[in-house]
Amino acid sequence: MKIAMVGSGYVGLVSGACFADFGHEVVCVDKDDAKIAALEKNIMPIYEPGLAELVASNVRGGRLTFSNDLGSAIKGADAIFIAVGTPSRRGDGHADLTFVYQVAREIGEKLSGPAVVVTKSTVPVGTGDAVERILTESGTPHRFAVVSNPEFLREGAAISDFKRPDRIVIGAEDEFGREVMRDVYRPLFLNKAPILFTGRRTSELIKYAGNAFLATKITFINEMADLCERVGADVQDVARGIGLDNRIGSKFLHAGPGYGGSCFPKDTLALLKTAEDFDSPVRIVEAVVKVNDSRKRAMGRKVIEALGGAEGARGKKVAMLGLTFKPNTDDMRDSPAIAIAQALDDAGVAIAAYDPEGMDLAAPMMPFVTMTGSPYEAIEGADAVVIVTEWDAFRALDLDRVKTLAKAPVLIDLRNVYDPADMAQAGFAYTGVGRG
Ligand code: UGA
């Protein structure tokens, strides 16, 4: 099959490279010439484990190419994926669909044969209908169908999520759309990945409902963590105790500094906008958004508390380990580290930080932070060490070395990487999350 992937960002690039790896012929398109030129030299615009190798091997195999010319890329394509960004619109939280509609118009103008147009970007309910209208209004003489196919990739695990998905969701309104999508995903069909065919609007909503549910699960356990601290309980055990109930499930019950990233914050807001537009409030998600926002700054206060409160903290130095919103990515979008660093700076605390991949993107967001070359360099002379992101590099720190380098053996572990009893044994004043 021939596939055109319009938008060579995170989703487009991972999906394009994986489709090529299945044996399809894929062209990844982007209007950013510099990005295309870099991709042709196998320089990835994002950090994702295994992606550069996957792209290189499929380029070598002749199945994956790059182009800045949409017209030639969609020529003869059976499926044209729209995988451009849908950022939160400034001011109102609505998903900004400018790029999706621009691409739809261009596809309408340049279509040269029958094709299925697939929205892979996360788009609000009804966007597929709008894309269909745009294509109809373009007056194209060619047969087309508009299909929704949301992606469920996690950053840092995107390639395995794509190749071994829990499910594939396809929202189509006619048999032509369903038929082509069956062929596109046939290699996964053979792997027995469940494919769920739904209506287009349903499929669009599944994406938002899934992310909002996961954000709710995280926020629930975060509030339980706060309660655990008050009543003297351990949230790790609470999570295990409820997670073993199959109806609840143990995943996404890890208490921490609040969810961040490019998806949950944006998608929960967009869902609330849709709910508002259709006068059908989703109050649980409203609460989740509020609780998560306030949690990030509350984590800054937690650190200040461990430094002896506002008075004690002023003039002290903290080592922040981890800045990205989660490990195995360089993504800083809505990372709790931003609010935590800001709260510490406001309190007159000096910050040295280390992150394996995130420092280039983080530095301009927190100019008052000194970026360092290793965890130990950040820890040198620090009055407290804060683990903000659970990178593997911080899971087995040399605790004796930490104690020698730091001014005081104070560890605030916002990801519950360490065991409180072990840390007490090692002579640390340890604060976790929800470990009363
Ligand atoms: C999320 C979803 O997990 C994907 O299924 C979805 O495709 C993607 O959004 C998207 O819409 O594109 P991602 O944002 O990459 O993926 O990251 P997650 O691994 O889901 O983590 C999101 C945030 O929740 C992180 O800040 C993480 O630290 C936090 N989290 C996650 C917790 O605090 N506790 C948990 O138990 C799990």
Side-chain angles (χ1 to χ4, degrees), residues 287-308:
V288 165
V289 168
K290 278 201 196 107
V291 170
N292 193 66
D293 279 349
S294 59
R295 182 167 192 84
K296 294 181 184 172
R297 229 173 144 85
M299 290 298 120
R301 289 197 294 278
K302 194 179 178 82
V303 177
I304 291 164
E305 222 35 62
L307 288 169

Side-chain angles (χ1 to χ4, degrees), residues 12 25 29 32 35 37 40 64 74 153 193 215 223-224 227 240 242 286 324 426:
E25 190 187 322
V29 189
D32 180 344
K35 192 187 265 182
E40 277 170 344
L64 179 61
I74 67 171
L153 312 176
E223 288 207 305
M224 284 302 122
L227 187 57
R240 198 167 147 71
I242 61 171
E286 285 170 19
T324 50

Side-chain angles (χ1 to χ4, degrees), residues 219-371:
T219 306
F220 176 84
I221 203 68
N222 283 341
E223 288 207 305
M224 284 302 122
D226 291 347
L227 187 57
C228 282
E229 288 177 9
R230 293 298 170 94
V231 303
D234 187 323
V235 76
Q236 302 275 97
D237 290 339
V238 171
R240 198 167 147 71
I242 61 171
L244 284 169
D245 182 330
N246 279 332
R247 293 170 301 176
I248 295 175
S250 57
K251 292 184 181 159
F252 275 68
L253 282 180
H254 200 87
Y259 62 77
S262 63
C263 304
F264 290 172
K266 165 174 82 73
D267 293 351
T268 43
L269 281 185
L271 179 65
L272 291 183
K273 282 294 156 196
T274 302
E276 196 183 307
D277 290 350
F278 287 84
D279 199 18
S280 178
V282 190
R283 292 189 195 91
I284 289 182
V285 181
E286 285 170 19
V288 165
V289 168
K290 278 201 196 107
V291 170
N292 193 66
D293 279 349
S294 59
R295 182 167 192 84
K296 294 181 184 172
R297 229 173 144 85
M299 290 298 120
R301 289 197 294 278
K302 194 179 178 82
V303 177
I304 291 164
E305 222 35 62
L307 288 169
E311 284 301 303
R314 190 160 295 281
K316 284 198 173 147
K317 182 190 154 186
V318 154
M320 278 178 72
L321 303 188
L323 297 170
T324 50
F325 82 99
K326 67 174 197 175
N328 298 321
T329 175
D330 61 353
D331 201 335
M332 283 297 299
R333 282 175 286 182
D334 276 305
S335 173
I338 301 167
I340 294 169
Q342 193 59 60
L344 292 177
D345 185 57
D346 291 348
V349 176
I351 307 164
Y354 172 73
D355 186 285
E357 294 294 337
M359 293 191 294
D360 287 350
L361 289 174
M365 295 177 170
M366 38 184 86
F368 45 84
V369 172
T370 307
M371 300 295 169

